[in-house]
Amino acid sequence: MSPRLYNNDLAPTAVHGRRWGSYNIFTLWANDVHSLGNYTFATGLFALGLGAWQVLLALAIGAALLFGILNLSGYMGQKTGIPFPVMSRISFGVRGAQIPALIRGAVAIAWFGIQTYLASHVLNVLLITLHHPLVHLTENSFLGLSTLGWISFGFLWCVQIGILMYGIEMVRKYEAFAGPVILFTLSALAVWMFWKAGCSISLSNNHPLTGGKMWHEIFAGASLWVAIYGTFALNFCDFTRSCTSKKSITIGNFCGIPVNIMLFGTIAVVLAGAQFRINGKVINSPADVVQAIPNTWFVALASLALIVLTVAVNLMANFVAPAYALANLFPKHLDFRRAGIVSGVIGIVILPWNLYNNPTVVNYFLGGLGAFLGPLFGVIIADYWLIRKGRVNVPELYTMETSAAYHYTRGVNLRAIAAFTPAAAAAIVCALVPLFSAVAPFAWFIGAGIAAAVYVGVAERNGSHEDVPGASIAVPSVH
């Protein structure tokens, strides 16, 4: 094993001793699906003119697509036991794998900082609600953040770093705890809003869409819902590498995606429809509802639940991926925990609140990086399932020997780069150029489809693909 490619955190996990079951996969989705950003997205569809059944249909189509996509990605991790940066070596080469790993890590670090900032904003509201004189700490600014903002951001940053220091096993335990809390809190908010609206909701706004425009927005909404999880479609194996079986992934995904997304959609429709019934406005997120609760302690408990939710989402979606990416970049010097600290520090240095408050940066920088995710998924999935038929020589993913299966040309698979490049260019044009705004919601699928098709056409088919498990170099799932 090359020390430039192998350490205990990048090594495959032993099959015996894995602890992630169906419930753990379900709670991943119970937390992530109910994120504040997703509620903003769903209520945005309502504000756009889609009615209740149309919003639910868009989410149902997206859920069905996600269920298949995430099963394909999850099975790869369960079989091989390897994290995403190592999985990328199969198609991109032992050196070329840095490309997808760093793209995924860069997107995650930026959103880690932004999500921590959004959670700190909720914590500010909570603290001021409990002790109003603290409002004076919001009247100044240093590097774009008030004193109370810095205190709240720093506290939540430390909490997340502390959880990560205990490794992926502590992430599993935290997600298992947070899932029921979130489901209960948001269901209770929906019931309260329904009662407040006189046990009746508006099923659409005053300007409902019809005909072709309606169907375009339904399918656009479904496609964007999948694109939201374009990051997870890549690095889902970071979690399923610790799963006990394929069955646990299938059951966890079914309960956590189609079933849970329909619950999410129902709550979002009730919140949006009830608020519209009350005053003709559409809420932006459940945080708006929390602030309207006429009881200080209920506001405090609900705010605390939203903070628990945002931390859970951040850990799974935006912290694990860059930790593995940086560990893969410097395996001799960074393990999972050290890499997590480095990514967390970067998440502060970029001053994420300034990024969030600059729509140009969010749309073009993060949107541009996000457009790469579909093509990366297309290449990796096509290589694993269509070219290799799921056969992987796991030990050779950790060697720099020129004769090894994944060395390609100086460690880089030029055929994968050739498939990724035009697909990424097409996805970026679709996502960012105003002329193509009609197809912009479908950029993830366009990029993934082009990349997969081109890769299948140019991939090497002469070599035999050995299926060798990584048991000989595996480490315990909990280490």
Side-chain angles (χ1 to χ4, degrees), residues 202-257:
S202 296
L203 297 179
S204 65
N205 65 21
N206 292 332
H207 304 284
L209 296 177
T210 58
K213 179 68 173 176
M214 177 193 74
W215 287 106
H216 176 271
E217 294 303 330
I218 287 174
F219 286 107
S223 180
L224 287 171
W225 186 248
V226 173
I228 288 172
Y229 290 92
T231 52
F232 242 118
L234 285 174
N235 76 299
F236 191 32
C237 57
D238 288 343
F239 303 94
T240 60
R241 66 192 293 243
S242 298
C243 278
T244 53
S245 65
K246 288 174 64 176
K247 183 179 179 180
S248 66
I249 297 172
T250 305
I251 295 174
N253 277 347
F254 180 77
C255 296
I257 299 175

Side-chain angles (χ1 to χ4, degrees), residues 364 427-438 440:
Y364 286 95
I428 289 175
V429 169
C430 291
L432 302 181
V433 177
L435 180 64
F436 298 95
S437 58

Side-chain angles (χ1 to χ4, degrees), residues 102-271:
L102 291 177
I103 290 173
R104 174 65 182 98
V107 173
I109 287 175
W111 281 112
F112 162 74
I114 290 172
Q115 290 279 9
T116 302
Y117 162 65
L118 294 177
S120 71
H121 184 68
V122 178
L123 182 55
N124 286 349
V125 173
L126 171 61
L127 294 175
I128 292 171
T129 299
L130 296 177
H131 189 62
H132 192 264
L134 288 175
V135 72
H136 297 298
L137 296 180
T138 65
E139 296 171 354
N140 64 334
S141 178
F142 175 70
L143 296 177
L145 209 58
S146 68
T147 299
L148 186 62
W150 276 107
I151 292 171
S152 298
F153 184 91
F155 171 75
L156 292 174
W157 186 90
C158 291
V159 167
Q160 292 172 98
I161 291 290
I163 293 172
L164 201 71
M165 288 304 95
Y166 288 93
I168 198 72
E169 177 64 9
M170 183 56 73
V171 174
R172 179 184 73 86
K173 292 178 179 178
Y174 183 85
E175 301 291 334
F177 153 75
V181 172
I182 298 315
L183 291 175
F184 173 80
T185 301
L186 291 167
S187 298
L189 280 178
V191 170
W192 180 74
M193 280 294 291
F194 183 70
W195 173 82
K196 186 180 177 183
C199 298
S200 176
I201 65 171
S202 296
L203 297 179
S204 65
N205 65 21
N206 292 332
H207 304 284
L209 296 177
T210 58
K213 179 68 173 176
M214 177 193 74
W215 287 106
H216 176 271
E217 294 303 330
I218 287 174
F219 286 107
S223 180
L224 287 171
W225 186 248
V226 173
I228 288 172
Y229 290 92
T231 52
F232 242 118
L234 285 174
N235 76 299
F236 191 32
C237 57
D238 288 343
F239 303 94
T240 60
R241 66 192 293 243
S242 298
C243 278
T244 53
S245 65
K246 288 174 64 176
K247 183 179 179 180
S248 66
I249 297 172
T250 305
I251 295 174
N253 277 347
F254 180 77
C255 296
I257 299 175
V259 175
N260 184 43
I261 286 176
M262 287 299 95
L263 172 62
F264 158 83
T266 302
I267 293 173
V269 165
V270 170
L271 292 177

Side-chain angles (χ1 to χ4, degrees), residues 309-462:
L309 164 65
T310 306
V311 169
V313 172
N314 230 8
L315 286 172
M316 60 184 286
N318 301 319
F319 218 159
V320 171
Y324 278 125
L326 290 173
N328 184 62
L329 191 61
F330 304 107
K332 290 193 292 185
H333 307 289
L334 294 178
D335 59 11
F336 181 81
R337 293 168 178 81
R338 291 174 184 169
I341 293 175
V342 173
S343 64
V345 170
I346 297 173
I348 297 177
V349 171
I350 62 174
L351 304 180
W353 44 90
N354 292 332
L355 291 180
Y356 181 74
N357 293 323
N358 188 331
T360 301
V361 173
V362 173
N363 291 337
Y364 286 95
F365 175 67
L366 292 179
L369 282 176
F372 289 142
L373 301 180
L376 290 174
F377 179 81
V379 170
I380 292 169
I381 290 294
D383 181 72
Y384 184 92
W385 289 109
L386 300 180
I387 302 301
R388 301 180 186 279
K389 312 296 184 184
R391 297 188 295 269
V392 179
N393 187 330
V394 176
E396 293 204 0
L397 291 169
Y398 299 91
T399 177
M400 294 296 294
E401 294 292 331
T402 56
S403 59
Y406 310 106
H407 190 269
Y408 297 110
T409 303
R410 299 181 180 178
V412 179
N413 184 5
L414 298 179
R415 297 171 190 264
I417 302 298
F420 167 74
T421 303
I428 289 175
V429 169
C430 291
L432 302 181
V433 177
L435 180 64
F436 298 95
S437 58
V439 297
F442 309 97
W444 190 91
F445 282 101
I446 292 171
I450 293 174
V454 174
Y455 188 77
V456 168
V458 303
E460 175 63 56
R461 285 182 167 79
N462 295 330

